[in-house]
Amino acid sequence: NQTGISTVNLFRKPATGGGAEEDLGVAGVNGFVQDWSKDGEWLLYQRQDPKTDMDLWLIPLKGDRKPVPYLASPFAEADGQFAPASGPPRWMAYDSNESGDLEVYIQEIPARGAKYQVSSGGGGVPRWRADGRELFYLTPDAKLMAVPITLTPRVEIGTPREVFTNAVLSAYVPSRDGQRFLLNVPVGSDASAPPATVVLNWASFRR
């Protein structure tokens, strides 16, 4: 394998620790599981293709379990998340660079063209609140944003608001109520931005 490129196999095993693992097949180059639908019927993963960049694929967990593409355009689509639903998933949040900048979108499942842009000025790594009424995402300048969302009876997207800023934040998971966040930050850092040092009369230090 080349540096940074690997082929991944997907497996499923009961979280209780008992039972044998089940081989779900090959996710492809740089494959990575993104989400599991609430009804347990679909597994979402992303994979890299030399022609279509990063794509989003679905595996039905019943029947022949043959993977089907959800989004495989010439652009990079990644970080997919099923919108919470009591039945089969109807909507997907993901990020894409189709506009030239990475932005967050919501689109129907299957992708039939009904698509809505959520972020403005850049955004990625979308994550839903458990009730599906709010969507979070990260901006290029390390802000965590929250957007009110209505999916039924029609899609309505509210105004993004800043929740907090964390200069070292790379990944996160919101609590079910969206009031707390589990953060992935480098060892030795904290949840706040690194302090800024302001030097006054700096010209006097020049030699």
Side-chain angles (χ1 to χ4, degrees), residues 141-143 164-170 185-186 190-194:
D141 55 351
K143 291 182 173 65
F164 60 81
T165 301
N166 184 342
V168 294
L169 175 61
S170 60
V185 297
D190 56 27
S192 61

Side-chain angles (χ1 to χ4, degrees), residues 152-174:
T152 56
R154 62 181 182 274
V155 175
E156 295 181 359
I157 299 174
T159 302
R161 63 175 179 83
E162 180 182 339
V163 180
F164 60 81
T165 301
N166 184 342
V168 294
L169 175 61
S170 60
Y172 69 100
V173 177

Side-chain angles (χ1 to χ4, degrees), residues 80-115:
Q81 294 282 290
F82 293 113
S86 56
R90 290 190 53 202
W91 294 93
M92 180 85 70
Y94 64 96
D95 54 49
S96 171
N97 63 358
E98 64 179 86
S99 69
D101 296 314
L102 194 68
E103 300 284 2
V104 173
Y105 298 87
I106 295 174
Q107 188 164 181
E108 278 188 305
I109 303 172
R112 297 172 182 151
K115 179 173 62 177

Side-chain angles (χ1 to χ4, degrees), residues 44 56-58 68-72 91-92 94 107-111:
L44 172 70
L56 292 174
W57 284 68
L58 295 166
V68 294
Y70 171 65
L71 288 173
W91 294 93
M92 180 85 70
Y94 64 96
Q107 188 164 181
E108 278 188 305
I109 303 172

Side-chain angles (χ1 to χ4, degrees), residues 47-91:
R47 57 178 290 184
Q48 194 166 2
D49 185 276
K51 295 182 179 180
T52 57
D53 206 330
M54 197 65 75
D55 302 321
L56 292 174
W57 284 68
L58 295 166
I59 298 179
L61 295 178
K62 291 185 178 179
D64 61 6
R65 294 202 310 248
K66 182 179 180 180
V68 294
Y70 171 65
L71 288 173
S73 77
F75 308 104
E77 297 95 8
D79 296 311
Q81 294 282 290
F82 293 113
S86 56
R90 290 190 53 202
W91 294 93

Side-chain angles (χ1 to χ4, degrees), residues 83-84 93-94 103-106 116-139 143-151 155-164 172 174 177-179 181:
Y94 64 96
E103 300 284 2
V104 173
Y105 298 87
I106 295 174
Y116 303 85
Q117 184 171 329
V118 177
S119 61
S120 177
V125 197
R127 296 290 182 267
W128 292 96
R129 197 172 72 188
D131 61 3
R133 303 284 294 180
E134 194 170 37
L135 185 67
F136 305 98
Y137 68 88
L138 296 178
T139 66
K143 291 182 173 65
L144 181 71
M145 307 296 288
V147 185
I149 300 286
T150 299
L151 296 176
V155 175
E156 295 181 359
I157 299 174
T159 302
R161 63 175 179 83
E162 180 182 339
V163 180
F164 60 81
Y172 69 100
D177 60 3
Q179 297 301 302
F181 299 84

